[in-house]
Amino acid sequence: MNGADDDDAALFRSAIGPVRKLPERPAPPSAPRPKPRAKMAERDDADAREDLRHALESTLLEADDPLAWRGDVSQEAWQRLRRGEMSAQEELDLHGTDAATAEALVRAFLNDAQRHGLGCVRIIHGKGGRGGADIGRSGAPVLKNLVDRMLRQRSSVLAFHSPLPAQGGSGAVVVLLAPRRR
């Protein structure tokens, strides 16, 4: 430092007077740490969803595949259903509907059929052969697979089978319903 700078510093100190050191401030709070994530559980969930997606895609029904599932029904009732000897008391036609609308219609139709004591109904889902919204990315019929999945999950459904060709064939399904619980 040279003499002029020393004189300026001395002049500044004499103008200010005695100084005292300020107490040290605590450090400002840091940003909150992110909540811990269960990365392994997330990865397991993602893997399970992917496995389920692959399993569903590998079991998708094609246009000409019949729908069939047997729950708690007698062998005689199952055989009559398969041979087309049971007549539907009511029918729902899903042609031209999208998957979300079809799902809502099927739920309402089955609830209404059971509420009215119907034992056998037919759902026409189509074969999905037009290549429009009724065909999924895998090329499988959307409505047909949706109806199959929904019917298998309903406790009110005792059994179902695709009817004979004259009654709709693989583009429809005849459903046996459980009696209404009182």
Side-chain angles (χ1 to χ4, degrees):
M1 285 181 120
N2 67 26
D5 288 337
D6 287 339
D7 289 340
D8 288 340
L11 182 62
F12 176 75
R13 282 190 197 98
S14 69
I16 291 180
V19 294
R20 63 180 169 84
K21 188 173 181 179
L22 292 175
E24 289 194 29
R25 286 189 190 168
S30 61
R33 296 182 73 186
K35 291 185 179 181
R37 289 180 29 216
K39 292 178 185 173
M40 291 300 289
E42 289 174 3
R43 196 172 309 142
D44 288 345
D45 287 347
D47 289 346
R49 278 192 300 277
E50 188 66 19
D51 289 346
L52 179 61
R53 187 179 67 75
H54 286 302
L56 288 174
E57 285 180 357
S58 67
T59 60
L60 288 177
L61 296 162
E62 296 298 324
D64 292 327
D65 293 341
L67 295 184
W69 178 80
R70 179 182 174 191
D72 190 21
V73 295
S74 68
Q75 182 66 25
E76 178 187 348
W78 176 245
Q79 291 300 330
R80 287 185 59 216
L81 179 65
R82 291 182 61 207
R83 289 191 300 256
E85 295 174 359
M86 295 192 171
S87 60
Q89 297 165 293
E90 196 62 57
E91 181 175 280
L92 172 67
D93 190 343
L94 298 174
H95 279 110
T97 62
D98 62 21
T101 304
E103 187 170 358
L105 288 172
V106 169
R107 283 186 206 290
F109 176 69
L110 292 175
N111 288 338
D112 191 52
Q114 191 175 32
R115 187 174 10 165
H116 287 90
L118 302 182
C120 185
V121 296
R122 179 177 26 250
I123 300 174
I124 301 169
H125 47 71
K127 293 183 179 183
R130 291 191 173 82
D134 56 346
I135 295 291
R137 283 182 284 182
S138 63
V142 172
L143 296 181
K144 182 175 193 163
N145 282 286
L146 172 76
V147 168
D148 180 62
R149 179 180 50 83
M150 287 183 71
L151 293 177
R152 289 173 189 269
Q153 295 173 351
R154 302 275 305 199
S155 62
S156 62
V157 173
L158 297 175
F160 59 85
H161 202 284
S162 292
L164 299 174
Q167 298 169 329
S170 60
V173 63
V174 177
V175 183
L176 290 182
L177 298 172
R180 184 172 106 177
R181 293 186 185 142
R182 295 185 189 252

